[in-house]
Every structure is written in structure tokens, then in C-alpha cells.
Amino acid sequence: MKKYIEKITDPRQQGKTKYNLHEIITMTICAVMSGCEIWEEIIDFCKVKENWFCNELKLTLANGIASHDTFQRIFQIIKPDEFEKCFVEWVKSIKTNAEKEYISIDGKTVCGSKKDGKDGIHLVGAWASKNQLALGQIKVDGKTNEIKAIPKLLDLLELSNSVITIDAMGCQKDIAEKIIKDAESDYVLALKGNQGNLYNDVKLYFDEEKIKESYTTNEKDHGRIETREYYLETEINWLDKKSEWLGIKGIGMVRSKVIKKDKVPIEKRYFLTSLEDVESFAKSVRGHWGVENSLHWCLDVIFNEDSNRTRKDNSAENFSVIRRMALNALRKHPSKMSLNRKKRKCHYDVSFMAEVLFSVF
């Protein structure tokens, strides 16, 4: 990890720093991985583990452990774009090259960063379904600006040979073109009413036609049965303005039916895609929810992100990167324990924490 962190520009005045930037970041990752959520807790943790940091991780800590104010100030002034590049480069080093990775892109607001009537920071992030890893994120000024952030995120991640899924906000011709040309990948874009006649045409087609290409899944969980039927139509020469969507090969629909007690709600969703295989289409759509269930939910429940009130300057954005580092590290550890149990064990078992760290850093 040190070789990636050292690429980050130390924003402090040279010659007047008592505490090493690499060591500050390393200790913060360990503390968050062990369940610490605020700067005071992080410093308490670091003071208790000071000898372990020196003996096991070979940190020098020439001037001991800095105060919580010093830790906080450093994270306020670190350049987020450099810290994010450090994170992305590290993830590349631990990610396995799946034959076809399914990558979900979605936005999340860090609710605890709201202050004085101002919205909390909004992040657009990417999740790799097969690798079970957070790949990267970009801060945007509110959900409505996700469209501008998605191309930047695709450039940052340098993707290829993947299937990229995005919700209706990202169903844009320019984004489809970038995925095909620059990312050299396929896309599955959720289609909703904001696309006007295109949405109506696709909806009408699936309402009236019998589609041959279909795939069905059934799941039982918490007293309910959920059936999903996936439909893909690749004969779409009739589709108006088809030529404006680079790489488009088909239109898709997912029909979800949930049986719970006496209620059987049915939902239909529609998609544009460059895929031609209905099973791949089904895996892509199903995998998209991983960004909610395996990333956003874990950040909120395991790391309490939505309640964290770190917000000044760059601290909220940089601290969110630390949480994703901690999450990825815990996920990559091969033990069958839950994430929450791994986090707790890191807190009281330094040998286990070292095992987690050395497996990915």
C-alpha cells in the first residue's frame, strides 16, 4: 500500500511536518477496519496499538501518535483526486481478471455530511460483482449531475471486457458510446419515462409481442418467493433512432413477481443493451443490485457511513475512500466469517488484523 500512498502529494508545508503522511493513512485504515468511526476513536485505537504498528507494520512513528485534530486536518487538505487514484491503483492490484466482469455504477449520498441546510456529498461509485470489490468513486454536486460524473469515472477505472450497468439517470447516448468505444465493454442501461417515445415504444413492444428469448430465476427468502423473468429481443430494426445508440443489440424487460402472504405485486422494468445473450442480460440486471446490497448497505450498516458527520473541506470525501479500503480488505480475506465479525475480530485480535492487511496491502 505504501507505494500507492507515496504518490499522494503531501499538502503540508515541507520541513514543518512531525507526522508521516503514509503512516497517518495506514493507521486510519487499520482503525476504521476495526470499527472506529470518529477521529477521537481512531486516536484512542492508535495509541493502544502504537507498539504493534512499530513492531508488526514497521512504522517509525518518530514523534508518536498525532492528535485527533492533526489527523482530521490532514484528511481535510489531502487532494481527493490523488487519494482516489491511489485507491483505484490499489484495487487493480488485488482484483482478479474475471472472464467477464459485471460492473454496476450508481450514486450514494453521505447523509451525515449535511450541514447548515447544505446537501451532503454525493458520490458516484462502481462495484465489481464477481470480484466483490468497490472499484472507485467520484464526487458530484448532487444526484442530477451524475450524468457528467459517469464518463469521468469510466476514464478513471480504465475498464475493458466488462458489462456495465447503470440506472435510468445514465441512460444517455454519449455514455453508451463511451462504454463501447473507450471502455471497450458492453452496457445494460435502465430505460424509464425520461426517454419519452423510446421508452413507450419498448414498453408497447413487450406488452404486445411474445418474446422467445427468456430466462427465469426463483428465490426464496424471509418467507417470500420472488420470481424474475428476463426477456431479450435482438430483432430491433424497427426501433426508432436505433442508429443513434452505438452498439445497441437488443431491448430487454424484467418481470418481477413477489409472493408474500396474500400479496403478489408485479413490477416490469425495461432496458437498452449491447448484449445478445439473455442469460448474460439476466446476470447483468441481477448483479446491478450488488451495488446497493453489497456496497451501499455494507457501508451504512457495517461502517455506519450515513451517520458519520465528518464533513469539513475534503474530509468527508477522503474518509469515504478509507471506508471503501477497509471494506475491500475485509471482503478479500478468505475466511467465511461475516463482515461484521471480521471487523470485530480486527479490533481485539492483532494477528488477525495483520493477516487481513498483509493479504491485500
Side-chain angles (χ1 to χ4, degrees):
M1 189 62 192
K2 183 178 180 180
K3 66 179 180 180
Y4 301 111
I5 295 176
E6 286 180 339
K7 295 180 181 179
I8 300 172
T9 303
D10 191 334
R12 297 170 295 174
Q13 188 174 351
Q14 296 303 307
K16 296 185 178 181
T17 59
K18 293 175 60 178
Y19 304 100
N20 180 276
L21 180 65
H22 162 255
E23 294 183 345
I24 291 285
I25 294 174
T26 299
M27 289 188 289
T28 304
I29 293 170
C30 292
V32 172
M33 200 167 69
S34 302
C36 300
E37 297 176 2
I38 59 176
W39 296 115
E40 289 84 353
E41 291 176 353
I42 289 170
I43 299 310
D44 290 342
F45 175 88
C46 292
K47 287 181 177 178
V48 171
K49 306 295 185 186
E50 183 173 355
N51 290 335
W52 180 82
F53 283 133
C54 294
N55 297 331
E56 191 70 24
L57 300 190
K58 308 304 179 184
L59 304 187
T60 59
L61 299 180
N63 294 295
I65 305 297
S67 68
H68 73 271
D69 286 332
T70 298
F71 269 65
Q72 185 172 4
R73 281 196 301 270
I74 289 173
F75 276 87
Q76 286 172 8
I77 59 178
I78 290 174
K79 294 180 180 179
D81 57 340
E82 290 190 8
F83 200 20
E84 184 59 34
K85 286 180 181 177
C86 159
F87 173 71
V88 170
E89 289 299 318
W90 167 65
V91 172
K92 287 178 183 177
S93 72
I94 64 173
K95 184 169 68 71
T96 57
N97 293 319
E99 182 179 349
K100 177 76 79 170
E101 180 60 273
Y102 295 92
I103 296 173
S104 310
I105 293 178
D106 196 22
K108 182 184 189 298
T109 299
V110 181
C111 296
S113 61
K114 295 178 181 178
K115 185 180 181 181
D116 300 331
K118 295 181 180 180
D119 293 336
I121 66 166
H122 191 76
L123 304 167
V124 175
W127 171 258
S129 180
K130 286 188 177 180
N131 273 276
Q132 289 288 289
L133 288 172
L135 298 182
Q137 64 188 28
I138 285 184
K139 178 185 173 182
V140 297
D141 296 326
K143 186 173 179 61
T144 55
N145 287 315
E146 286 186 16
I147 296 172
K148 297 178 181 178
I150 291 171
K152 295 178 182 178
L153 182 60
L154 293 174
D155 286 337
L156 179 66
L157 300 178
E158 298 178 1
L159 305 172
S160 64
N161 193 35
S162 302
V163 181
I164 298 171
T165 61
I166 313 176
D167 64 15
M169 180 69 74
C171 186
Q172 305 289 328
K173 297 167 188 174
D174 291 345
I175 291 176
E177 180 177 346
K178 189 167 188 64
I179 291 172
I180 295 295
K181 291 178 66 176
D182 296 346
E184 297 179 343
S185 296
D186 286 301
Y187 60 77
V188 176
L189 306 177
L191 182 63
K192 290 188 177 180
N194 62 335
Q195 291 294 335
N197 290 336
L198 178 60
Y199 170 81
N200 294 331
D201 289 345
V202 172
K203 181 179 182 300
L204 182 62
Y205 183 85
F206 282 110
D207 286 346
E208 295 184 348
E209 299 289 336
K210 292 183 179 180
I211 311 303
K212 296 178 182 179
E213 292 289 330
S214 64
Y215 183 82
T216 302
T217 61
N218 293 285
E219 296 179 9
K220 296 181 180 180
D221 189 30
H222 299 294
R224 69 179 191 178
I225 301 173
E226 187 165 355
T227 300
R228 294 184 182 88
E229 298 169 337
Y230 301 86
Y231 299 92
L232 182 67
E233 178 57 79
T234 56
E235 296 181 6
I236 56 171
N237 289 330
W238 53 268
L239 189 64
D240 189 30
K241 297 184 179 180
K242 169 181 173 290
S243 61
E244 297 180 9
W245 293 84
L246 186 65
I248 188 170
K249 298 289 180 59
I251 56 174
M253 180 184 75
V254 179
R255 183 176 183 270
S256 302
K257 179 173 66 175
V258 180
I259 302 174
K260 188 175 182 179
K261 295 182 179 179
D262 296 330
K263 298 180 180 179
V264 189
I266 295 175
E267 179 188 18
K268 293 180 180 179
R269 291 173 288 139
Y270 305 93
F271 301 85
L272 304 181
T273 181
S274 61
L275 297 173
E276 297 180 271
D277 172 58
V278 68
E279 188 171 348
S280 294
F281 168 69
K283 288 180 180 178
S284 302
V285 174
R286 187 69 183 121
H288 183 78
W289 296 108
V291 74
E292 290 288 347
N293 300 331
S294 299
L295 179 58
H296 296 169
W297 185 88
C298 288
L299 289 170
D300 289 338
V301 175
I302 306 299
F303 293 99
N304 212 17
E305 180 171 76
D306 259 357
S307 298
N308 193 285
R309 301 183 69 79
T310 300
R311 59 169 71 92
K312 191 171 181 181
D313 299 323
N314 300 327
S315 58
E317 188 174 354
N318 287 328
F319 204 72
S320 73
V321 175
I322 292 289
R323 280 190 288 266
R324 282 155 179 77
M325 284 181 169
L327 175 62
N328 282 352
L330 292 176
R331 278 200 176 278
K332 291 300 286 185
H333 189 270
S335 69
K336 300 299 182 182
M337 293 183 286
S338 69
L339 286 172
N340 214 22
R341 186 180 168 196
K342 288 180 184 178
K343 183 186 73 173
R344 289 197 301 269
K345 192 168 184 180
C346 282
H347 187 78
Y348 62 76
D349 185 347
V350 290
S351 61
F352 179 74
M353 181 161 61
E355 191 178 302
V356 173
L357 286 171
F358 293 142
S359 68
V360 292
F361 292 122

